[in-house]
């Protein structure tokens, strides 16, 4: 019985759905087709040897936009981004490389960039222009071009619709529809109470709660810390006792991770977001009731409860005052003013005497 010839490395076998197999030899970044023969067959060995003599094609021609995109993806600036941000930037740069990659960077002019973003939606155009500016700034710093052609180029501004904050009526309607033990309700209470993004919420559980009853974690998107009370409650947050009680009544005690699938596995970030939107629709809520809208609702609830900007930032993980202002803009202004007054004065404001 013949044995397979040893030493045939870099062979890739692709099996189609119908069972057919295709064999290739990997040469650099390309695949060279091999005959459908046993590896010990003389013709297969001859084809294998011939494939090894094929000169690898350069992946990116020097000086092109595709080469610039590849260089930027290997840069420190790109590597220091959060994983989720890197994924978005890679997709954007891959599209730029596919659409404009064969052109040379030194030939780029402002009107080329305007033409590139003109056919995109306002939001997509803004993101594309940000990517162009980043890689062209990198090109200037690396000495590839003398000046940045993106300077002065502006994308068309359209109406930006941020995630809408849930109303108290919508929060109550969701709770009325989904019972405490339902997976949808558990995810709802976790996201609403912690104010965590979906990318963080999928990782939260009892393993991150310390002996004093505080939940602490490092955010995936920003790398910054976030901390919120679980079994304790600060004095200033006493008006949120009902929300805390519902959260504690819903989260399971028999597993570490709170938000899981039916099989007990943690949910994916994208899956959680879409699943929560579907759960809101099933409860009869508008299509713009999203998981991120619960995060905004928590920030607003904290403002209404009398939390300072620093306290809101520590709870939700926001690092800047502008971010906190953005998320609390829809807070109940009467609640905010009343809570602030009580916190600063101890609610000792004298009442006007009644008329006799």
């Amino acid at each position: 019985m013949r044995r397979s010839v040893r030493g045939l490395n870099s062979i890739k076998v692709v099996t189609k759905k119908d069972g057919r197999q295709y064999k290739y030899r990997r040469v650099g970044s390309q695949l060279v087709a091999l005959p459908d023969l046993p590896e010990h067959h003389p013709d297969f060995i001859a084809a294998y040897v011939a494939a090894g003599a094929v000169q690898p094609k350069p992946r990116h021609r020097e000086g092109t936009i595709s080469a610039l995109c590849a260089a930027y993806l290997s840069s420190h600036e790109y590597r220091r981004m959060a994983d989720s941000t890197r994924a978005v930037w890679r997709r954007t740069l891959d599209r730029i490389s596919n659409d404009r990659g064969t052109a040379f960077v030194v030939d780029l002019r402002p009107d080329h960039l305007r033409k590139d973003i003109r056919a995109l939606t306002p939001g997509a155009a803004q993101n594309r222009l940000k990517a162009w500016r980043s890689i062209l700034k990198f090109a200037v710093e690396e000495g590839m071009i003398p000046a940045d052609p993106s300077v002065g180029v502006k994308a068309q501004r359209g109406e930006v619709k941020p995630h809408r904050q849930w109303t108290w009526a919508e929060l109550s309607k969701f709770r009325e529809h989904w019972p405490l033990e339902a997976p949808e309700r558990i995810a709802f209470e976790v996201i609403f109470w912690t104010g965590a993004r979906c990318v963080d919420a999928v990782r939260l559980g009892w393993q991150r709660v310390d002996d004093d009853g505080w939940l602490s974690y490092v955010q995936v998107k920003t790398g910054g810390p976030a901390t919120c009370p679980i079994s304790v409650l600060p004095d200033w947050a006493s008006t949120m006792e009902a929300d805390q009680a519902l959260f504690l009544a819903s989260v399971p005690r028999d597993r570490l991770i709170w938000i899981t699938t039916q099989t007990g596995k943690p949910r994916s970030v994208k899956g959680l977001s879409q699943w929560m939107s579907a759960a809101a629709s099933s409860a009869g809520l508008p299509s713009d009731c999203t998981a991120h809208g619960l995060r905004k609702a928590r920030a607003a609830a904290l403002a209404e409860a009398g939390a300072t900007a620093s306290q809101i930032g520590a709870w939700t993980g926001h690092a800047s005052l502008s971010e906190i202002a953005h998320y609390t803009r829809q807070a109940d202004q009467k609640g905010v003013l009343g809570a602030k007054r009580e916190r600063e004065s101890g609610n000792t404001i004298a009442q006007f005497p009644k008329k006799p």
Side-chain angles (χ1 to χ4, degrees):
M1 178 179 178
R2 289 186 177 182
R3 296 181 179 179
S4 297
V5 176
R6 296 181 179 180
L8 298 186
N9 300 320
S10 304
I11 293 180
K12 179 179 179 64
V13 179
V14 178
T15 304
K16 300 294 184 179
K17 292 183 178 180
D18 58 5
R20 289 183 297 174
Q21 289 188 337
Y22 297 87
K23 297 179 181 180
Y24 303 88
R25 179 173 181 177
R26 188 183 299 278
V27 181
S29 61
Q30 61 185 316
L31 297 176
V32 180
L34 298 173
D36 185 19
L37 295 169
E39 292 184 13
H40 60 265
H41 195 283
D43 291 344
F44 183 91
I45 297 175
Y48 176 87
V49 173
V54 173
Q55 293 296 321
K57 296 179 181 178
R59 189 174 181 181
H60 304 286
R61 189 177 178 185
E62 186 176 357
T64 61
I65 293 173
S66 64
L68 172 60
C69 290
Y72 182 84
L73 291 173
S74 300
S75 68
H76 173 71
E77 180 179 351
Y78 174 77
R79 291 197 302 271
R80 68 181 179 83
M81 296 177 181
D83 290 344
S84 56
T85 305
R86 285 204 300 267
V88 174
W89 277 79
R90 177 174 284 279
R91 288 195 294 270
T92 303
L93 293 179
D94 283 346
R95 284 192 287 268
I96 290 177
S97 184
N98 291 333
D99 296 343
R100 313 294 179 186
T102 58
F104 287 92
V105 182
V106 294
D107 295 331
L108 274 177
R109 299 193 304 272
D111 55 313
H112 292 145
L113 300 179
R114 294 188 185 97
K115 181 179 179 180
D116 180 69
I117 65 177
R118 191 174 298 146
L120 303 176
T121 61
Q126 290 281 355
N127 292 334
R128 183 98 157 202
L129 185 55
K130 286 180 182 178
W132 274 117
R133 285 172 176 163
S134 292
I135 62 175
L136 290 172
K137 178 184 176 183
F138 175 78
V140 172
E141 293 173 349
E142 294 295 312
M144 300 178 185
I145 51 176
D148 182 356
S150 69
V151 174
V153 177
K154 296 182 179 179
Q156 177 185 356
R157 291 189 174 275
E159 182 182 359
V160 179
K161 294 183 178 180
H163 294 280
R164 182 178 65 82
Q165 173 193 321
W166 290 42
T167 66
W168 285 108
E170 289 166 344
L171 297 171
S172 298
K173 190 172 182 179
F174 190 98
R175 283 168 165 164
E176 291 172 359
H177 180 81
W178 295 105
L180 279 172
E181 67 276 5
E184 292 84 354
R185 178 65 178 277
I186 296 171
F188 167 90
E189 297 293 349
V190 169
I191 297 172
F192 180 48
W193 178 252
T194 64
R197 301 179 183 88
C198 284
V199 68
D200 295 315
V202 295
R203 305 180 296 122
L204 300 184
W206 293 113
Q207 82 282 7
R208 298 182 185 275
V209 180
D210 63 23
D211 294 338
D212 294 327
W214 289 85
L215 169 73
S216 299
Y217 60 96
V218 176
Q219 301 170 96
V220 171
K221 182 177 181 180
T222 65
T227 302
C228 75
I230 297 300
S231 57
V232 294
L233 199 62
D235 293 339
W236 59 263
S238 60
T239 57
M240 300 195 302
E241 287 180 350
D243 279 342
Q244 184 188 39
L246 289 172
F247 163 76
L248 290 173
S250 67
V251 290
R253 301 278 178 171
D254 58 347
R255 63 175 185 252
L256 293 179
I257 300 295
W258 289 326
I259 302 176
T260 63
T261 64
Q262 294 286 355
T263 59
K265 295 181 180 179
R267 288 190 175 273
S268 67
V269 176
K270 185 177 181 181
L272 174 59
S273 178
Q274 295 176 343
W275 181 61
M276 284 303 298
S277 295
S281 298
S282 298
L285 298 177
S287 59
D288 57 353
C289 283
T290 63
H292 202 79
L294 291 175
R295 174 172 166 83
K296 296 186 69 173
R298 174 48 57 202
L302 288 168
E304 293 174 24
T308 65
S310 297
Q311 289 167 335
I312 295 173
W315 189 308
T316 62
H318 290 101
S320 67
L321 293 177
S322 61
E323 285 182 297
I324 297 170
H326 171 74
Y327 279 94
T328 58
R329 193 169 293 127
Q330 296 181 23
D332 178 4
Q333 297 302 300
K334 290 183 180 179
V336 171
L337 293 173
K340 182 178 181 181
R341 182 182 64 231
E342 291 181 8
R343 185 183 60 211
E344 293 182 350
S345 65
N347 199 23
T348 58
I349 299 177
Q351 299 294 322
F352 284 102
K354 294 181 179 180
K355 293 181 179 180

